[in-house]
Amino acid sequence: MIIDCDPGHDDAIALVVAGCFADLVGVTTVAGNAPVTHTTRNARIMLDLIGSSAPLHRGAERPLVAPPRHAPEVHGESGLDGAVLPEPSRPEDSRDAVGYIIDTCRTEEGLWLVPIGPLTNIALALRAAPDLAGRIAGISLMGGGTHGNRTPAAEFNVWADPEAAAIVFGYGGRLIMSGLDVTHQLQATPERIARVREVPGQLAAIVADLFDFFLSTYVPRHENLTGGVLHDACAVMALTHPHLFVTRDHHVVVETSGDFTTGMTLIDTRRHRHKSPPNCTVQWEVDSEAAFGAIVGAVGAFSH
Ligand code: RIB
Ligand code: CA
């Protein structure tokens, strides 16, 4: 898989999970939770911490049309506040994430693209190289849902770049969506953070500190959450641990021009016989205890 990310606390743990359970071919970064300079630095740090030699390419610094908008209230100004992080040692390999995605998908067979931030890079790649749709195994993204978190209708990744999301949801190939309906079931609660803190080594201590920070920005803003939501891990685990999820296929489109609904993913859940054919496998439920157990295992795999 190639992960396209905007670290971001939940992106960070998604990289750890991918590093442990997947063939992480490459990583690209995008502006989202923080400016792309910050998300790239954070991705470099995480790849150092898991000892990954996967290439890292910086991508879009702004959405296709919408203005750049970030989430410091959730992830801090750095995009990865809350832990004492080592300086990144490895460089970024280029500033051409889109070219890297296109070239790699044309040379590697069976690649999954796993975007877990705004979909700008993926949309640019699909638009520049329409043949990718028939070459890749599919796209497993974190985004959307039957409700939003940035507005009542729109989830951040789709809201940040709705035009890009519309391109991706309409690309015609295999698509798996981990929206808020499933991701909110996977929370780093205090009890679970304590389990991470019991794991020896630098990575576990950093992840536990990051989860503590993430909890501190998430829980006060939600009546019904007791931990930071590990959204992005769901998009990776859709491929590494598919047995932990309940999915159904639906037709999904993205609203790009609604007065109140721009960035909404409209998921057709009707039981009508005459409706648009599905274009998306939607993840609805996760066995969160088993999923978090795998996450603790992944942290332990790199705790030396
Ligand atoms: O809405 C949650 C998504 O927005 C996650 O990917 C999180 O990292 C942020 O990018
Ligand atoms: Ca993200």
Side-chain angles (χ1 to χ4, degrees):
M1 61 175 67
I2 291 176
I3 291 185
D4 185 69
C5 57
D6 62 334
H9 293 66
D10 53 325
D11 305 70
I13 196 62
L15 288 169
V16 174
V17 171
C20 177
F21 295 112
D23 175 8
L24 183 57
V25 168
V27 177
T28 54
T29 57
V30 66
N33 288 321
V36 72
T37 47
H38 296 46
T39 60
T40 304
R41 172 185 165 82
N42 296 336
R44 290 168 60 202
I45 291 169
M46 291 312 301
L47 290 177
D48 278 346
L49 287 171
I50 64 173
S52 170
S53 57
L56 173 68
H57 298 266
R58 183 193 302 198
E61 58 188 31
R62 58 152 302 147
L64 298 185
V65 176
R69 295 173 291 194
H70 306 309
E73 72 282 5
V74 178
H75 297 276
E77 286 300 326
S78 74
L80 207 54
D81 281 16
V84 176
L85 298 172
E87 283 300 303
S89 63
R90 45 147 317 135
E92 64 188 31
D93 291 271
S94 87
R95 295 191 179 185
D96 183 12
V98 173
Y100 166 75
I101 290 169
I102 293 171
D103 294 346
T104 310
C105 290
R106 284 178 171 162
T107 53
E108 299 259 352
E109 289 301 316
L111 262 184
W112 280 89
L113 295 178
V114 182
I116 52 177
L119 292 158
T120 316
N121 291 335
I122 309 301
L124 287 167
L126 290 171
R127 193 160 62 179
D131 58 299
L132 259 53
R135 288 176 178 275
I136 60 175
I139 296 173
S140 178
L141 64 82
M142 190 277 138
T146 60
H147 58 88
N149 56 10
R150 199 62 187 233
T151 76
E155 174 280 327
F156 177 82
N157 288 341
V158 178
W159 172 84
D161 196 340
E163 288 74 17
I167 289 170
V168 173
F169 275 85
Y171 95 104
R174 181 106 171 74
L175 181 63
I176 303 174
M177 165 184 167
S178 296
L180 299 180
D181 304 89
V182 68
T183 66
H184 274 204
Q185 299 169 36
L186 184 55
Q187 299 170 39
T189 60
E191 177 277 327
R192 288 176 173 171
I193 295 172
R195 284 164 52 192
V196 173
R197 218 173 269 289
E198 287 169 6
V199 177
Q202 179 190 24
L203 177 65
I206 286 174
V207 168
D209 289 345
L210 290 174
F211 283 175
D212 277 338
F213 176 88
F214 204 30
L215 183 151
S216 76
T217 63
Y218 245 91
V219 170
R221 294 151 33 93
H222 294 78
E223 295 169 3
N224 58 343
L225 295 180
T226 55
V229 176
L230 304 185
H231 304 279
D232 295 335
C234 292
V236 169
M237 297 182 84
L239 302 175
T240 60
H241 297 76
H243 57 288
L244 298 184
F245 295 88
V246 172
T247 68
R248 286 183 292 278
D249 291 351
H250 297 277
H251 185 260
V252 183
V253 290
V254 176
E255 177 60 71
T256 56
S257 60
D259 291 337
F260 306 101
T261 55
T262 293
M264 175 182 187
T265 52
L266 183 59
I267 306 169
D268 192 345
T269 57
R270 295 174 301 163
R271 307 297 297 269
H272 281 218
R273 295 192 188 285
H274 308 298
K275 61 183 180 181
S276 301
N279 61 324
C280 183
T281 296
V282 179
Q283 303 222 108
W284 288 109
E285 296 171 42
V286 60
D287 176 344
S288 68
E289 199 48 36
F292 198 84
I295 288 168
V296 174
V299 173
F302 297 110
S303 286
H304 19 271

